[in-house]
């Protein structure tokens, strides 16, 4: 997702500067919390795919005794995103990173 600022500043002969903000979101890790039961805990993400269609995908199947944590390696998503516990009772913790950056573009 990107946003454009309509206010441009004149840089003389060099052209105009346009301010853009880019939104990036990465999921880094999903893990079971203290007190989780011996059951499968399936975490699902609902987001848009590259064709603009909303899809739901399981990203982790966590279990206390064999897989209590999954590292997603900066799994990139585009907003809007819904993360839900599709199966199990948790608790589940999801960690990630959300960055907004500004750049100037010469036209």
């Amino acid at each position: 997702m990107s946003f454009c600022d309509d206010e441009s500043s004149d840089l003389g002969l060099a052209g105009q500067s346009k301010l853009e903000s880019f939104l990036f979101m990465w999921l880094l890790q999903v893990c079971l919390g203290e007190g989780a039961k011996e059951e499968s805990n399936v975490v699902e993400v609902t987001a848009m795919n590259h064709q603009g269609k909303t899809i739901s995908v399981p990203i982790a199947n966590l279990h206390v005794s064999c897989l209590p944590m999954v590292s997603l390696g900066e799994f990139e998503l585009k907003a809007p995103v819904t993360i839900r516990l599709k199966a199990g009772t948790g608790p589940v913790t999801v960690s990630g990173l959300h960055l907004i950056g500004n750049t100037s573009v010469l036209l």
Side-chain angles (χ1 to χ4, degrees), residues 7-25:
E7 295 180 22
S8 298
S9 63
D10 189 9
L11 295 178
L13 298 175
Q16 294 182 348
S17 173
K18 189 179 244 186
L19 182 64
E20 294 187 18
S21 298
F22 298 92
L23 172 69
F24 299 96
M25 189 167 99

Side-chain angles (χ1 to χ4, degrees), residues 2 4 8 12 14-15 18 20-21 31 35 37-38 44 49 52 59 66 70 72 82 85 91 103 106:
S2 68
C4 291
S8 298
K18 189 179 244 186
E20 294 187 18
S21 298
C31 61
K37 298 177 184 175
E38 286 286 336
E44 177 183 78
N49 67 8
I59 58 167
C66 63
V70 172
L72 299 170
T82 302
L85 186 59
T103 62
L106 295 177

